[in-house]
Amino acid sequence: MSDKTMSADEAVSRLESGMTVGIGGWGSRRKPMALVRALLRSPVTDLTVVSYGGPDVGMLAAAGRIRRLVAAFATLDSIPLEPHYRAARERGAFELTEVDEAMFLWGLRAAAHRLPFLPVRAGLGSDVMRVNPGLRTVTSPYEDGETFVAMPALRLDAALVHVNRADRRGNGQYLGPDPYFDDLFCEAADAAYVSCERIVDTAELTKEAPPQSLLVKRHTVTGVVEAPQGAHFTSCAPDYGRDEAFQKLYASTPWPQFAARFLAGDEQAYRAAAGEAT
């Protein structure tokens, strides 16, 4: 079995401008922020970002790295609307494809199964169809004759996700209350980079939790990055909760000032600066 460990910067060095990148997590929960910060330190731009959006989307939008966003929302959870995303959207900085949460999920499922689309009831009778005129419907070929939205596959060039534990081969484990569809992001992508709080031996993975917690399978993973506090300032239950004080600072600080203070340099410098801020 191959050792897939690498640094965050090494993982990001494999990305290219113009790619479609999926980012796991949900809102301000278990986002791969160490990987996002590495991406912001790189020259990669002109991205199509696919995400249940949180500060990952806010930072990349504020930095001008997004050409098109596919999302169901962009939130910081305890702060309902991601402010840096909102500012970038209001100045027309990127294209937005906004879909229902279930449509987003079915798009990932279609991509994971290498299908062009999957039928879903979500979106019917709503403005989702109006604001996305490219969406099509399909009719069941069976006796019911029901009409569905044909949600196109959300195929990804690369996926970035964060989990609690992983081994060097790419098996990833979540210990919190929700998987946030991170497995589907990896399965929908041509390459997947998984950061984790701690790399452990494979045998250790089932000592803390049952085999069902091994959400991410090694055959879908390209690289593994050990990144303690790698989801900060978002939560990574049960290892730590959301850093509300730091999130408030992020939300209230103009982007150029925040970027200059917290995005330059290595992870140790970032954590030290974050500690000083809170």
Side-chain angles (χ1 to χ4, degrees):
M1 297 289 184
S2 61
D3 185 331
K4 299 178 181 178
T5 57
M6 59 183 67
S7 70
D9 289 329
E10 286 172 332
V12 165
S13 72
R14 301 184 177 205
L15 305 183
E16 298 177 3
S17 293
M19 278 186 165
T20 297
V21 176
I23 304 178
W26 179 283
S28 196
R29 300 174 230 179
R30 216 176 67 226
K31 285 290 180 177
M33 298 308 294
L35 294 174
V36 171
R37 291 193 296 274
L39 181 54
L40 286 162
R41 293 194 296 268
S42 80
V44 174
T45 189
D46 196 38
L47 295 172
T48 295
V49 172
V50 179
S51 175
Y52 285 109
D56 55 325
V57 166
M59 290 184 179
L60 291 169
R65 304 300 183 91
I66 301 178
R67 177 181 59 81
R68 176 181 171 232
L69 173 66
V70 181
F73 51 74
T75 179
L76 297 179
D77 293 320
S78 58
I79 299 173
L81 183 58
E82 217 290 347
H84 295 292
Y85 154 82
R86 177 177 182 172
R89 178 61 183 158
E90 287 178 346
R91 65 176 181 267
F94 55 85
E95 299 175 42
L96 175 63
T97 300
E98 187 176 17
V99 295
D100 176 272
E101 293 173 21
M103 295 170 70
F104 190 105
L105 168 60
W106 249 241
L108 288 177
R109 288 196 187 280
H113 291 287
R114 300 303 187 263
L115 295 171
F117 73 92
L118 278 174
V120 59
R121 293 186 178 92
L124 291 172
S126 76
D127 276 350
V128 168
M129 303 301 290
R130 179 183 62 80
V131 300
N132 294 287
L135 287 174
R136 299 289 182 263
T137 58
V138 292
T139 301
S140 168
Y142 300 105
E143 291 182 2
D144 58 276
E146 188 173 352
T147 296
F148 300 91
V149 175
M151 180 60 199
L154 294 174
R155 289 285 295 137
L156 309 173
D157 294 309
L160 308 176
V161 307
H162 186 78
V163 294
N164 298 89
R165 307 286 183 268
D167 65 13
R168 294 177 179 276
R169 300 169 180 175
N171 295 299
Q173 180 181 53
Y174 80 102
L175 300 175
D178 201 313
Y180 304 133
F181 310 116
D182 285 355
D183 53 335
L184 292 181
F185 277 96
C186 293
E187 292 167 15
D190 293 336
Y193 301 95
V194 178
S195 62
C196 64
E197 293 298 311
R198 189 167 81 242
I199 291 177
V200 299
D201 291 337
T202 303
E204 296 294 315
L205 290 171
T206 53
K207 289 186 176 180
E208 288 190 73
Q212 294 91 332
S213 65
L214 298 177
L215 176 70
V216 176
K217 311 302 188 294
R218 64 176 182 262
H219 71 274
T220 67
V221 174
T222 307
V224 179
V225 177
E226 186 171 58
Q229 293 283 309
H232 183 272
F233 52 92
T234 73
S235 63
C236 187
D239 292 313
Y240 49 87
R242 183 164 52 244
D243 187 337
E244 295 287 358
F246 189 87
Q247 177 165 279
K248 184 177 180 180
L249 175 72
Y250 161 76
S252 61
T253 304
W255 173 252
Q257 294 172 230
F258 183 87
R261 183 76 174 92
F262 295 102
L263 299 183
D266 61 20
E267 290 304 305
Q268 185 175 357
Y270 168 81
R271 289 195 293 272
E276 292 170 12
T278 58

